Amino acid sequence: MRKLLRWIAVAAVVFLSLSTALGETHRSHPSYGRALAELRYARAHVSLHAPGVPPDENELEAIQEIDKAMQDVKDASEDDGKSLNEHPLIEASWGRIERLQRALALLDEAHDNIELRQQDSFLKGLKANSANRHVANAKEAIERAMHASRQSSRTHQ
């Protein structure tokens, strides 16, 4: 009986050590951190508007989808604790189309980082899939916003 209890205790310690190590590896993976940074930066590009120019409905949808993707990434990893305003500066001379194009590129990078992390681990795969669905939805909304902006600028010429 003593041997059995000792064996169970050793197994429990090994199990807890392994699960803690796997959890730490998962939470601290740099791909998710990079994905969050790219999502924040993409969101900033979509959110920035010239004075008196409100965001269109597609941009608002893209922001909502980016927010959902960020939440999924945070749920699948350890939140880095940074605010939405912690991102590199946005080029002041860029117009709406340039900012939206940069946001698309950042969303592609975020998608790749989420995929990289998902391939590297069996943990939290469903959240990663959901995050990438939101990234894809945000990209579609941004593309619609770019199309609408181009159409609007053609009619005003």
Side-chain angles (χ1 to χ4, degrees), residues 42-85:
R43 186 186 194 285
H45 279 284
V46 177
S47 299
L48 184 66
H49 294 93
V53 179
D56 75 5
E57 63 200 33
N58 295 306
E59 290 168 317
L60 293 173
E61 180 184 344
I63 290 167
Q64 290 174 343
E65 291 294 337
I66 292 169
D67 288 347
K68 290 175 186 176
M70 289 176 64
Q71 188 59 54
D72 284 343
V73 171
K74 288 176 183 179
D75 289 348
S77 66
E78 186 174 286
D79 185 1
D80 62 5
K82 294 182 180 177
S83 79
L84 290 176
N85 297 323

